[in-house]
Amino acid sequence: DAGVIQSPRHEVTEMGQEVTLRCKPISGHDYLFWYRQTMMRGLELLIYFNNNVPIDDSGMPEDRFSAKMPNASFSTLKIQPSEPRDSAVYFCASSLSGTGHYEQYFGPGTRLTVT
Amino acid sequence: GNSVTQMEGPVTLSEEAFLTINCTYTATGYPSLFWYVQYPGEGLQLLLKATKADDKGSNKGFEATYRKETTSFHLEKGSVQVSDSAVYFCALSQMNRDDKIIFGKGTRLHILP
């Protein structure tokens, strides 16, 4: 089975540009999570969805960040405008609530560098 | 609220040494407990889990026992290898309370040949 798929794997952009990160969760999973990982702050939960509906976006750092899940197989995380402090690795993860234990499956991540 | 505390790293060991990474948690009720591993340049992978008290999760030679009386879930391995070098995250989730997993800050492990 394919795992969580993220694209691009690496993104380098200039400050002020719009960045869109993409995620395809594992088929059949009903939860989708976006995380950010940096050396300074560790792993941070940004937002998560259940059945395509945003449940908790309290981790989204600023209005420059937005996330959508138009269908069960696709989600985007957008940063507009991007800033150097947004440089990080962004992970998408999915899980299936029916297991009752919410174990999450992570994608390989997108390494974002904003210059 | 729920929280996870794990020992700070980095932890540096020689190959074939015994490994313990401590993890304690705070939660009401009966959470499920996890250890995730992150190898360099990769996402987190589930290493093992335990869903009720006294359960022992195991995988790839790693073990952890769910200890409700001490609210702990320490990760152990009898003989580490260089390939075990990674960051290890302790985590918990609670069914019917929250949809999220609460992660610890991670412990970086270096194994020297």
Side-chain angles (χ1 to χ4, degrees):
Chain A
D1 286 341
V4 175
I5 299 172
Q6 291 187 247
S7 64
R9 293 294 310 276
H10 302 273
E11 177 79 41
V12 180
T13 191
E14 293 183 348
M15 184 174 64
Q17 297 299 305
E18 177 179 296
V19 175
T20 300
L21 311 181
R22 297 173 175 80
C23 175
K24 177 179 170 55
I26 292 173
S27 177
H29 281 194
D30 54 347
Y31 279 89
L32 184 139
F33 304 80
W34 281 102
Y35 292 87
R36 177 172 70 176
Q37 186 178 41
T38 62
M39 289 295 293
M40 291 297 295
R41 302 174 70 91
L43 190 66
E44 303 173 277
L45 176 63
L46 301 178
I47 184 172
Y48 72 96
F49 297 81
N50 177 221
N51 291 323
N52 314 337
V53 176
I55 302 300
D56 184 352
D57 66 354
S58 60
M60 296 286 262
E62 299 172 33
D63 291 345
R64 299 183 296 106
F65 285 70
S66 63
K68 294 182 179 180
M69 193 165 186
N71 58 62
S73 59
F74 183 65
S75 177
T76 59
L77 178 67
K78 185 177 293 186
I79 308 173
Q80 166 63 21
S82 59
E83 296 183 4
R85 59 193 167 123
D86 302 331
S87 297
V89 181
Y90 290 81
F91 290 104
C92 176
S94 69
S95 69
L96 179 62
S97 63
T99 65
H101 306 300
Y102 300 108
E103 55 191 85
Q104 295 180 11
Y105 296 83
F106 281 73
T110 295
R111 181 173 296 277
L112 173 65
T113 303
V114 183
T115 60
Chain B
N2 296 345
S3 66
V4 173
T5 302
Q6 61 183 106
M7 62 189 292
E8 292 190 19
V11 174
T12 302
L13 296 172
S14 297
E15 201 166 25
E16 298 183 2
F18 184 87
L19 168 70
T20 300
I21 300 178
N22 290 337
C23 172
T24 58
Y25 67 89
T26 301
T28 54
Y30 302 92
S32 295
L33 301 174
F34 308 92
W35 277 100
Y36 280 78
V37 59
Q38 184 180 25
Y39 298 105
E42 298 183 11
L44 280 70
Q45 303 174 25
L46 180 65
L47 179 60
L48 54 84
K49 68 180 181 183
T51 58
K52 61 182 186 296
D54 299 324
D55 266 3
K56 177 184 285 188
S58 62
N59 186 24
K60 299 182 180 180
F62 290 89
E63 294 183 339
T65 302
Y66 188 143
R67 301 286 189 198
K68 191 172 189 308
E69 63 276 12
T70 54
T71 62
S72 65
F73 192 55
H74 304 322
L75 182 68
E76 297 181 334
K77 186 174 185 181
S79 178
V80 292
Q81 305 299 313
V82 172
S83 57
D84 294 327
S85 298
V87 181
Y88 293 81
F89 293 87
C90 186
L92 70 82
S93 73
Q94 281 196 277
M95 186 174 64
N96 299 328
R97 287 184 182 271
D98 200 312
D99 315 335
K100 300 181 290 190
I101 286 184
I102 306 299
F103 286 93
K105 293 184 182 298
T107 302
R108 184 172 299 276
L109 175 65
H110 293 292
I111 305 300
L112 304 175

PDB file of all heavy atoms in Angstrom, chain B residues 85-112:
ATOM      1  N   SER B  85      20.593   4.704  15.249  1.00  0.00           N
ATOM      2  CA  SER B  85      20.782   6.145  15.408  1.00  0.00           C
ATOM      3  C   SER B  85      19.613   6.877  14.762  1.00  0.00           C
ATOM      4  O   SER B  85      19.348   6.720  13.565  1.00  0.00           O
ATOM      5  CB  SER B  85      22.098   6.589  14.771  1.00  0.00           C
ATOM      6  OG  SER B  85      23.207   5.974  15.400  1.00  0.00           O
ATOM      7  N   ALA B  86      18.908   7.659  15.555  1.00  0.00           N
ATOM      8  CA  ALA B  86      17.676   8.306  15.101  1.00  0.00           C
ATOM      9  C   ALA B  86      17.165   9.185  16.238  1.00  0.00           C
ATOM     10  O   ALA B  86      17.765   9.258  17.303  1.00  0.00           O
ATOM     11  CB  ALA B  86      16.624   7.263  14.719  1.00  0.00           C
ATOM     12  N   VAL B  87      16.012   9.822  15.988  1.00  0.00           N
ATOM     13  CA  VAL B  87      15.318  10.551  17.048  1.00  0.00           C
ATOM     14  C   VAL B  87      14.082   9.745  17.441  1.00  0.00           C
ATOM     15  O   VAL B  87      13.329   9.291  16.565  1.00  0.00           O
ATOM     16  CB  VAL B  87      14.900  11.963  16.598  1.00  0.00           C
ATOM     17  CG1 VAL B  87      14.197  12.700  17.735  1.00  0.00           C
ATOM     18  CG2 VAL B  87      16.117  12.755  16.123  1.00  0.00           C
ATOM     19  N   TYR B  88      13.878   9.569  18.728  1.00  0.00           N
ATOM     20  CA  TYR B  88      12.788   8.758  19.252  1.00  0.00           C
ATOM     21  C   TYR B  88      11.783   9.647  19.990  1.00  0.00           C
ATOM     22  O   TYR B  88      12.169  10.454  20.843  1.00  0.00           O
ATOM     23  CB  TYR B  88      13.328   7.664  20.177  1.00  0.00           C
ATOM     24  CG  TYR B  88      14.145   6.641  19.417  1.00  0.00           C
ATOM     25  CD1 TYR B  88      15.466   6.895  19.091  1.00  0.00           C
ATOM     26  CD2 TYR B  88      13.570   5.444  19.005  1.00  0.00           C
ATOM     27  CE1 TYR B  88      16.218   5.972  18.363  1.00  0.00           C
ATOM     28  CE2 TYR B  88      14.308   4.518  18.283  1.00  0.00           C
ATOM     29  CZ  TYR B  88      15.626   4.796  17.959  1.00  0.00           C
ATOM     30  OH  TYR B  88      16.357   3.885  17.226  1.00  0.00           O
ATOM     31  N   PHE B  89      10.506   9.474  19.646  1.00  0.00           N
ATOM     32  CA  PHE B  89       9.441  10.280  20.232  1.00  0.00           C
ATOM     33  C   PHE B  89       8.485   9.374  21.000  1.00  0.00           C
ATOM     34  O   PHE B  89       7.961   8.403  20.442  1.00  0.00           O
ATOM     35  CB  PHE B  89       8.635  10.996  19.142  1.00  0.00           C
ATOM     36  CG  PHE B  89       9.390  12.052  18.394  1.00  0.00           C
ATOM     37  CD1 PHE B  89      10.159  11.724  17.282  1.00  0.00           C
ATOM     38  CD2 PHE B  89       9.320  13.381  18.784  1.00  0.00           C
ATOM     39  CE1 PHE B  89      10.841  12.693  16.572  1.00  0.00           C
ATOM     40  CE2 PHE B  89      10.002  14.362  18.085  1.00  0.00           C
ATOM     41  CZ  PHE B  89      10.764  14.020  16.985  1.00  0.00           C
ATOM     42  N   CYS B  90       8.232   9.737  22.243  1.00  0.00           N
ATOM     43  CA  CYS B  90       7.181   9.096  23.021  1.00  0.00           C
ATOM     44  C   CYS B  90       5.890   9.873  22.787  1.00  0.00           C
ATOM     45  O   CYS B  90       5.924  11.110  22.608  1.00  0.00           O
ATOM     46  CB  CYS B  90       7.572   9.111  24.495  1.00  0.00           C
ATOM     47  SG  CYS B  90       6.471   8.218  25.591  1.00  0.00           S
ATOM     48  N   ALA B  91       4.745   9.190  22.771  1.00  0.00           N
ATOM     49  CA  ALA B  91       3.494   9.883  22.451  1.00  0.00           C
ATOM     50  C   ALA B  91       2.311   9.173  23.091  1.00  0.00           C
ATOM     51  O   ALA B  91       2.397   7.989  23.433  1.00  0.00           O
ATOM     52  CB  ALA B  91       3.307   9.957  20.939  1.00  0.00           C
ATOM     53  N   LEU B  92       1.209   9.893  23.244  1.00  0.00           N
ATOM     54  CA  LEU B  92      -0.015   9.294  23.757  1.00  0.00           C
ATOM     55  C   LEU B  92      -1.225   9.807  23.005  1.00  0.00           C
ATOM     56  O   LEU B  92      -1.208  10.890  22.429  1.00  0.00           O
ATOM     57  CB  LEU B  92      -0.162   9.551  25.263  1.00  0.00           C
ATOM     58  CG  LEU B  92      -0.471  10.961  25.781  1.00  0.00           C
ATOM     59  CD1 LEU B  92      -1.965  11.299  25.704  1.00  0.00           C
ATOM     60  CD2 LEU B  92      -0.049  11.088  27.238  1.00  0.00           C
ATOM     61  N   SER B  93      -2.274   9.012  23.036  1.00  0.00           N
ATOM     62  CA  SER B  93      -3.568   9.450  22.521  1.00  0.00           C
ATOM     63  C   SER B  93      -4.651   8.883  23.422  1.00  0.00           C
ATOM     64  O   SER B  93      -4.436   7.881  24.104  1.00  0.00           O
ATOM     65  CB  SER B  93      -3.791   8.986  21.079  1.00  0.00           C
ATOM     66  OG  SER B  93      -4.051   7.597  21.024  1.00  0.00           O
ATOM     67  N   GLN B  94      -5.788   9.553  23.411  1.00  0.00           N
ATOM     68  CA  GLN B  94      -6.897   9.084  24.236  1.00  0.00           C
ATOM     69  C   GLN B  94      -8.159   8.994  23.406  1.00  0.00           C
ATOM     70  O   GLN B  94      -8.680  10.007  22.954  1.00  0.00           O
ATOM     71  CB  GLN B  94      -7.131  10.029  25.419  1.00  0.00           C
ATOM     72  CG  GLN B  94      -6.156   9.814  26.538  1.00  0.00           C
ATOM     73  CD  GLN B  94      -6.608  10.438  27.830  1.00  0.00           C
ATOM     74  OE1 GLN B  94      -6.411  11.620  28.047  1.00  0.00           O
ATOM     75  NE2 GLN B  94      -7.216   9.645  28.692  1.00  0.00           N
ATOM     76  N   MET B  95      -8.641   7.808  23.244  1.00  0.00           N
ATOM     77  CA  MET B  95      -9.866   7.587  22.502  1.00  0.00           C
ATOM     78  C   MET B  95     -11.017   8.299  23.199  1.00  0.00           C
ATOM     79  O   MET B  95     -11.124   8.304  24.421  1.00  0.00           O
ATOM     80  CB  MET B  95     -10.145   6.086  22.426  1.00  0.00           C
ATOM     81  CG  MET B  95     -11.309   5.712  21.549  1.00  0.00           C
ATOM     82  SD  MET B  95     -11.465   3.922  21.382  1.00  0.00           S
ATOM     83  CE  MET B  95     -11.829   3.432  23.044  1.00  0.00           C
ATOM     84  N   ASN B  96     -11.848   8.906  22.401  1.00  0.00           N
ATOM     85  CA  ASN B  96     -13.053   9.569  22.893  1.00  0.00           C
ATOM     86  C   ASN B  96     -12.777  10.822  23.718  1.00  0.00           C
ATOM     87  O   ASN B  96     -13.689  11.387  24.304  1.00  0.00           O
ATOM     88  CB  ASN B  96     -13.927   8.611  23.707  1.00  0.00           C
ATOM     89  CG  ASN B  96     -14.398   7.439  22.873  1.00  0.00           C
ATOM     90  OD1 ASN B  96     -14.613   7.571  21.673  1.00  0.00           O
ATOM     91  ND2 ASN B  96     -14.535   6.290  23.499  1.00  0.00           N
ATOM     92  N   ARG B  97     -11.549  11.243  23.800  1.00  0.00           N
ATOM     93  CA  ARG B  97     -11.256  12.507  24.486  1.00  0.00           C
ATOM     94  C   ARG B  97     -10.685  13.540  23.534  1.00  0.00           C
ATOM     95  O   ARG B  97     -10.980  14.709  23.612  1.00  0.00           O
ATOM     96  CB  ARG B  97     -10.256  12.272  25.629  1.00  0.00           C
ATOM     97  CG  ARG B  97     -10.871  11.569  26.819  1.00  0.00           C
ATOM     98  CD  ARG B  97      -9.868  11.451  27.953  1.00  0.00           C
ATOM     99  NE  ARG B  97     -10.427  10.745  29.085  1.00  0.00           N
ATOM    100  CZ  ARG B  97     -11.094  11.344  30.070  1.00  0.00           C
ATOM    101  NH1 ARG B  97     -11.265  12.642  30.045  1.00  0.00           N
ATOM    102  NH2 ARG B  97     -11.566  10.633  31.072  1.00  0.00           N
ATOM    103  N   ASP B  98      -9.842  13.094  22.677  1.00  0.00           N
ATOM    104  CA  ASP B  98      -9.152  14.013  21.786  1.00  0.00           C
ATOM    105  C   ASP B  98      -8.717  13.208  20.577  1.00  0.00           C
ATOM    106  O   ASP B  98      -8.366  12.045  20.694  1.00  0.00           O
ATOM    107  CB  ASP B  98      -7.930  14.606  22.504  1.00  0.00           C
ATOM    108  CG  ASP B  98      -7.464  15.880  21.858  1.00  0.00           C
ATOM    109  OD1 ASP B  98      -7.328  15.895  20.621  1.00  0.00           O
ATOM    110  OD2 ASP B  98      -7.236  16.854  22.576  1.00  0.00           O
ATOM    111  N   ASP B  99      -8.741  13.887  19.420  1.00  0.00           N
ATOM    112  CA  ASP B  99      -8.384  13.147  18.214  1.00  0.00           C
ATOM    113  C   ASP B  99      -6.887  13.167  17.962  1.00  0.00           C
ATOM    114  O   ASP B  99      -6.418  12.551  17.032  1.00  0.00           O
ATOM    115  CB  ASP B  99      -9.077  13.785  17.005  1.00  0.00           C
ATOM    116  CG  ASP B  99     -10.516  14.107  17.277  1.00  0.00           C
ATOM    117  OD1 ASP B  99     -11.114  13.462  18.153  1.00  0.00           O
ATOM    118  OD2 ASP B  99     -11.047  15.015  16.623  1.00  0.00           O
ATOM    119  N   LYS B 100      -6.169  13.943  18.763  1.00  0.00           N
ATOM    120  CA  LYS B 100      -4.774  14.193  18.461  1.00  0.00           C
ATOM    121  C   LYS B 100      -3.866  13.212  19.189  1.00  0.00           C
ATOM    122  O   LYS B 100      -4.247  12.546  20.134  1.00  0.00           O
ATOM    123  CB  LYS B 100      -4.391  15.611  18.898  1.00  0.00           C
ATOM    124  CG  LYS B 100      -5.176  16.700  18.220  1.00  0.00           C
ATOM    125  CD  LYS B 100      -4.718  18.071  18.676  1.00  0.00           C
ATOM    126  CE  LYS B 100      -5.114  18.343  20.109  1.00  0.00           C
ATOM    127  NZ  LYS B 100      -4.881  19.765  20.453  1.00  0.00           N
ATOM    128  N   ILE B 101      -2.623  13.157  18.720  1.00  0.00           N
ATOM    129  CA  ILE B 101      -1.551  12.495  19.462  1.00  0.00           C
ATOM    130  C   ILE B 101      -0.703  13.591  20.096  1.00  0.00           C
ATOM    131  O   ILE B 101      -0.366  14.577  19.450  1.00  0.00           O
ATOM    132  CB  ILE B 101      -0.694  11.610  18.540  1.00  0.00           C
ATOM    133  CG1 ILE B 101      -1.457  10.338  18.170  1.00  0.00           C
ATOM    134  CG2 ILE B 101       0.628  11.254  19.192  1.00  0.00           C
ATOM    135  CD1 ILE B 101      -0.649   9.365  17.350  1.00  0.00           C
ATOM    136  N   ILE B 102      -0.377  13.408  21.359  1.00  0.00           N
ATOM    137  CA  ILE B 102       0.509  14.329  22.055  1.00  0.00           C
ATOM    138  C   ILE B 102       1.911  13.734  22.016  1.00  0.00           C
ATOM    139  O   ILE B 102       2.133  12.624  22.526  1.00  0.00           O
ATOM    140  CB  ILE B 102       0.077  14.537  23.516  1.00  0.00           C
ATOM    141  CG1 ILE B 102      -1.392  14.968  23.586  1.00  0.00           C
ATOM    142  CG2 ILE B 102       0.987  15.557  24.195  1.00  0.00           C
ATOM    143  CD1 ILE B 102      -1.697  16.255  22.882  1.00  0.00           C
ATOM    144  N   PHE B 103       2.844  14.450  21.404  1.00  0.00           N
ATOM    145  CA  PHE B 103       4.215  13.969  21.274  1.00  0.00           C
ATOM    146  C   PHE B 103       5.120  14.591  22.322  1.00  0.00           C
ATOM    147  O   PHE B 103       4.950  15.756  22.681  1.00  0.00           O
ATOM    148  CB  PHE B 103       4.781  14.318  19.892  1.00  0.00           C
ATOM    149  CG  PHE B 103       4.234  13.488  18.771  1.00  0.00           C
ATOM    150  CD1 PHE B 103       3.143  13.924  18.044  1.00  0.00           C
ATOM    151  CD2 PHE B 103       4.819  12.278  18.442  1.00  0.00           C
ATOM    152  CE1 PHE B 103       2.630  13.162  17.008  1.00  0.00           C
ATOM    153  CE2 PHE B 103       4.318  11.512  17.410  1.00  0.00           C
ATOM    154  CZ  PHE B 103       3.212  11.955  16.693  1.00  0.00           C
ATOM    155  N   GLY B 104       6.095  13.816  22.778  1.00  0.00           N
ATOM    156  CA  GLY B 104       7.191  14.374  23.544  1.00  0.00           C
ATOM    157  C   GLY B 104       8.118  15.139  22.626  1.00  0.00           C
ATOM    158  O   GLY B 104       7.931  15.170  21.405  1.00  0.00           O
ATOM    159  N   LYS B 105       9.146  15.752  23.197  1.00  0.00           N
ATOM    160  CA  LYS B 105      10.044  16.587  22.418  1.00  0.00           C
ATOM    161  C   LYS B 105      11.066  15.804  21.602  1.00  0.00           C
ATOM    162  O   LYS B 105      11.760  16.376  20.769  1.00  0.00           O
ATOM    163  CB  LYS B 105      10.767  17.564  23.345  1.00  0.00           C
ATOM    164  CG  LYS B 105       9.835  18.592  23.978  1.00  0.00           C
ATOM    165  CD  LYS B 105      10.611  19.598  24.798  1.00  0.00           C
ATOM    166  CE  LYS B 105       9.698  20.601  25.473  1.00  0.00           C
ATOM    167  NZ  LYS B 105       8.928  21.392  24.495  1.00  0.00           N
ATOM    168  N   GLY B 106      11.160  14.523  21.849  1.00  0.00           N
ATOM    169  CA  GLY B 106      12.101  13.702  21.087  1.00  0.00           C
ATOM    170  C   GLY B 106      13.443  13.567  21.781  1.00  0.00           C
ATOM    171  O   GLY B 106      13.898  14.486  22.468  1.00  0.00           O
ATOM    172  N   THR B 107      14.065  12.417  21.607  1.00  0.00           N
ATOM    173  CA  THR B 107      15.406  12.142  22.147  1.00  0.00           C
ATOM    174  C   THR B 107      16.280  11.654  21.002  1.00  0.00           C
ATOM    175  O   THR B 107      15.966  10.646  20.362  1.00  0.00           O
ATOM    176  CB  THR B 107      15.351  11.059  23.243  1.00  0.00           C
ATOM    177  OG1 THR B 107      14.478  11.483  24.291  1.00  0.00           O
ATOM    178  CG2 THR B 107      16.747  10.790  23.796  1.00  0.00           C
ATOM    179  N   ARG B 108      17.364  12.398  20.766  1.00  0.00           N
ATOM    180  CA  ARG B 108      18.272  12.005  19.689  1.00  0.00           C
ATOM    181  C   ARG B 108      19.250  10.957  20.209  1.00  0.00           C
ATOM    182  O   ARG B 108      19.876  11.142  21.262  1.00  0.00           O
ATOM    183  CB  ARG B 108      19.036  13.213  19.158  1.00  0.00           C
ATOM    184  CG  ARG B 108      19.931  12.912  17.954  1.00  0.00           C
ATOM    185  CD  ARG B 108      20.512  14.200  17.362  1.00  0.00           C
ATOM    186  NE  ARG B 108      19.486  15.100  16.876  1.00  0.00           N
ATOM    187  CZ  ARG B 108      18.936  15.015  15.675  1.00  0.00           C
ATOM    188  NH1 ARG B 108      19.326  14.067  14.826  1.00  0.00           N
ATOM    189  NH2 ARG B 108      18.021  15.905  15.301  1.00  0.00           N
ATOM    190  N   LEU B 109      19.386   9.871  19.481  1.00  0.00           N
ATOM    191  CA  LEU B 109      20.265   8.756  19.870  1.00  0.00           C
ATOM    192  C   LEU B 109      21.383   8.610  18.843  1.00  0.00           C
ATOM    193  O   LEU B 109      21.122   8.506  17.641  1.00  0.00           O
ATOM    194  CB  LEU B 109      19.453   7.462  19.939  1.00  0.00           C
ATOM    195  CG  LEU B 109      20.222   6.177  20.212  1.00  0.00           C
ATOM    196  CD1 LEU B 109      20.836   6.213  21.606  1.00  0.00           C
ATOM    197  CD2 LEU B 109      19.305   4.965  20.063  1.00  0.00           C
ATOM    198  N   HIS B 110      22.618   8.625  19.335  1.00  0.00           N
ATOM    199  CA  HIS B 110      23.791   8.376  18.495  1.00  0.00           C
ATOM    200  C   HIS B 110      24.435   7.073  18.941  1.00  0.00           C
ATOM    201  O   HIS B 110      24.750   6.917  20.130  1.00  0.00           O
ATOM    202  CB  HIS B 110      24.828   9.491  18.660  1.00  0.00           C
ATOM    203  CG  HIS B 110      24.391  10.824  18.134  1.00  0.00           C
ATOM    204  ND1 HIS B 110      24.211  11.084  16.806  1.00  0.00           N
ATOM    205  CD2 HIS B 110      24.092  11.973  18.783  1.00  0.00           C
ATOM    206  CE1 HIS B 110      23.824  12.339  16.648  1.00  0.00           C
ATOM    207  NE2 HIS B 110      23.744  12.903  17.826  1.00  0.00           N
ATOM    208  N   ILE B 111      24.652   6.174  18.012  1.00  0.00           N
ATOM    209  CA  ILE B 111      25.333   4.928  18.326  1.00  0.00           C
ATOM    210  C   ILE B 111      26.690   4.926  17.629  1.00  0.00           C
ATOM    211  O   ILE B 111      26.757   5.059  16.403  1.00  0.00           O
ATOM    212  CB  ILE B 111      24.526   3.699  17.886  1.00  0.00           C
ATOM    213  CG1 ILE B 111      23.116   3.749  18.487  1.00  0.00           C
ATOM    214  CG2 ILE B 111      25.253   2.413  18.292  1.00  0.00           C
ATOM    215  CD1 ILE B 111      23.078   3.766  20.000  1.00  0.00           C
ATOM    216  N   LEU B 112      27.738   4.760  18.416  1.00  0.00           N
ATOM    217  CA  LEU B 112      29.106   4.768  17.879  1.00  0.00           C
ATOM    218  C   LEU B 112      29.556   3.347  17.569  1.00  0.00           C
ATOM    219  O   LEU B 112      29.310   2.438  18.347  1.00  0.00           O
ATOM    220  CB  LEU B 112      30.049   5.401  18.908  1.00  0.00           C
ATOM    221  CG  LEU B 112      29.694   6.809  19.370  1.00  0.00           C
ATOM    222  CD1 LEU B 112      30.636   7.266  20.464  1.00  0.00           C
ATOM    223  CD2 LEU B 112      29.711   7.763  18.192  1.00  0.00           C
TER     224      LEU B 112
END
